[in-house]
Amino acid sequence: MMDTLHILSLGKGGWGGALLLAAGVTFALSVLGFLLGAVFGAVAAGGRLSTRALPSWLAKGYGTVFRGVPDLLTIYLLYYGGSIALTQLGKFFGGAGFIGLPAFATGVLAIGIISGAYQAEVYRGAYLAVDLGQFEACKALGLSRFQSLRLVIVPQLMRHALPGLGNVWQLVLKDSALISVIGLVELMRQAQIGAGSMREPFVFYIAAGTLYFLIAAVTGSVFRYGEARAWRGIVHA
Amino acid sequence: MIDFAFFVEIIPTLLSGLPLTLQLAGSSIAIGFVLALLLALARQGNHWMLVRPIRSFVAVFRGTPLLVQIFLIYYGLGQFRPSLQAAGLWWLFREPYWCAIIALSLNTAAYGSEILRGAIQAVPRGLIEAASALGMSRFLTLRLVVLPLALRQAIPSYSNEIILMIKGTSLASIITLMEVTGIAQGLISQTYRAVEVFVAAGAIYLTINFTIISALNALETWLTPYRVRA
């Protein structure tokens, strides 16, 4: 027991500090990936809602592929694919040898692409949940398409989107552990490093699991608070 | 531009991992479903001795990454080798194959139990009252009224969970099991052709998912004939 406490302590010889720092990397990676995913998701939702064939078809394909293929495969595609392209570019400019893509940026991009596919469905459903009268009112007020989206539709759409976004966020947080396979020292990777060097895998993976659980619990309550705020003053079923 | 010869070369290699992917998915979905059903039924009892541990189990497995769960079972429990050997369980926790199945089963049991719990609660109260008015025992009501309706109701959500499990089997490659994703990663680092390998391996997964979704949709339609005719 004392051993365990010592291993996980914040002081000298303890791994607590490193694990907390790595949890910070996990959090930053997840937040940035989620935000990038919001951009991809919004664009894809726009495509799905378009009446034209091509955007709708492209957005559907994007959603089907990245929600249907294992996330690990997508991560390999981006990391190796990106690195191979970069290496070839390097050769072109007279460089030699393999150039690896920066792991953090690749991780953000991977999480962005994967979570964007899920977020698109959330935004699409939320858009369809906005009352038709709101669109007509925008037209009656003479608002441009962009103005009506920004001032009327999106603020109301977010109300319907928040529960779904909360689910996607939890998915993102847990998916971020997969970025450890491309060598980014986030929480999962740090736990592996600690487990290997102290020969105490059980302690380290329990610690990592606990930190993931805590991040999920705290951020989950943030989403619940946001939801309560978004619905304040509105009577709904 | 597109090198078909290369696809012809890699697809058989990737397909050689398909039996393992399907085995991992099939076993853990089946074991997970049985566990999920037992957990969902146990939670109906509302007895705190049952409800509290189940709620914690569900919260832990839903709140932590699957990768952490797999590592904890495979590497973490390896630390207790003498005790596991004494208990006669070492053969199970020594093999990455069984560890992956245990982790995947427990994970899907946690998610599945919530799906089934919701579906059981959605069975109209009046039907259960009618069953007891007919003098059916609790077990008979469960077998003839509650479960058939609840399981049908759960099909759409449960098919999502099954797809997540198919995708989840890819994590087994991290503990050395060469299923489709593991083979894909090997091929990418040998051939440096990430896009082609991704397309081929992705197509295999999409085919599996499409087959499962179509089968479950057909099952749902078959079980709800009145909704189709309407």
Side-chain angles (χ1 to χ4, degrees), chain A residues 66-178:
Chain A
F66 290 103
R67 284 185 306 151
V69 162
D71 306 330
L72 202 51
L73 208 54
T74 306
I75 293 166
Y76 289 144
L77 168 76
L78 292 171
Y79 182 66
Y80 290 106
S83 302
I84 291 159
L86 207 64
T87 304
Q88 259 152 13
L89 201 72
K91 265 192 202 142
F92 182 76
F93 287 108
F98 185 81
I99 308 173
L101 220 54
F104 187 82
T106 314
V108 170
L109 184 64
I111 292 178
I113 289 178
I114 296 163
S115 82
Y118 286 93
Q119 289 189 55
E121 290 302 302
V122 175
Y123 294 131
R124 188 173 75 97
Y127 180 89
L128 294 173
V130 175
D131 192 69
L132 264 179
Q134 298 290 335
F135 293 86
E136 290 164 3
C138 290
K139 238 177 226 165
L141 285 171
L143 296 179
S144 73
R145 257 186 87 175
F146 179 73
Q147 276 177 321
S148 40
L149 273 181
R150 189 172 71 85
L151 297 170
V152 182
I153 307 304
V154 171
Q156 297 191 74
L157 171 160
M158 285 314 283
R159 244 180 235 148
H160 298 288
L162 270 175
L165 289 181
N167 286 341
V168 177
W169 163 253
Q170 301 283 337
L171 213 71
V172 161
L173 186 61
K174 287 181 275 172
D175 247 12
S176 74
L178 297 185

Side-chain angles (χ1 to χ4, degrees), chain A residues 14-88:
Chain A
W15 287 76
L19 285 172
L20 283 180
L21 203 67
V25 176
T26 283
F27 184 70
L29 173 70
S30 305
V31 169
L32 292 176
F34 185 78
L35 292 177
L36 186 64
V39 176
F40 291 146
V43 172
R48 283 292 306 265
L49 291 161
S50 162
T51 45
R52 277 177 303 164
L54 186 68
S56 154
W57 189 82
L58 282 175
K60 220 171 165 174
Y62 165 65
T64 310
V65 169
F66 290 103
R67 284 185 306 151
V69 162
D71 306 330
L72 202 51
L73 208 54
T74 306
I75 293 166
Y76 289 144
L77 168 76
L78 292 171
Y79 182 66
Y80 290 106
S83 302
I84 291 159
L86 207 64
T87 304
Q88 259 152 13

